[in-house]
Amino acid sequence: MVYEIATLDIKEGAEAAFEAAVKEAAPYFQKSRGCRGLSLERCVETPSRYYLVVTWDSVEDHMVHFRNSPEFQEWRRLAGPHFANPPSVEHTSVTATFF
């Protein structure tokens, strides 16, 4: 299991529209190969910054299958107009859980 963590800086004043776009795009993630979960987190200190956290079975499911799919194109069509700059994306995996 891997987590895609995308840091998304949103145009000032477009936060509500962006959140609505992510909600509309959620089914595209849900039906994608290897996608197990999607959440959107908003930065407290920088309210126009969001973290999209997507749970995938593998990096390949994200970077190959999703990125080359019509679902990805729909995600970018919906959310892309709200981006202040290109997203930064990293993949992580849990190495330990303490409580």
Side-chain angles (χ1 to χ4, degrees):
M1 191 82 55
V2 298
Y3 298 91
E4 167 198 356
I5 302 174
T7 303
L8 306 162
D9 289 320
I10 303 305
K11 295 174 185 171
E12 192 172 324
E15 294 87 355
F18 169 70
E19 290 179 22
V22 175
K23 183 177 181 179
E24 186 176 346
Y28 296 113
F29 285 88
Q30 190 170 22
K31 68 181 185 177
S32 295
R33 173 180 166 172
C35 187
R36 302 293 172 217
L38 171 69
S39 66
L40 182 65
E41 300 175 12
R42 190 172 189 178
C43 182
V44 173
E45 292 81 10
T46 309
S48 62
R49 178 168 293 151
Y50 289 81
Y51 301 96
L52 185 77
V53 182
V54 188
T55 307
W56 297 98
D57 285 339
S58 68
V59 172
E60 181 180 343
D61 284 332
H62 173 225
M63 296 301 293
V64 176
H65 302 292
F66 182 66
R67 282 287 187 95
N68 292 308
S69 73
E71 289 79 16
F72 177 76
Q73 296 304 317
E74 284 301 306
W75 151 247
R76 288 308 289 258
R77 181 185 67 77
L78 291 165
H82 307 294
F83 296 165
N85 48 54
S88 168
V89 178
E90 296 180 300
H91 295 94
T92 67
S93 61
V94 175
T95 56
T97 301
F98 299 103
F99 63 92

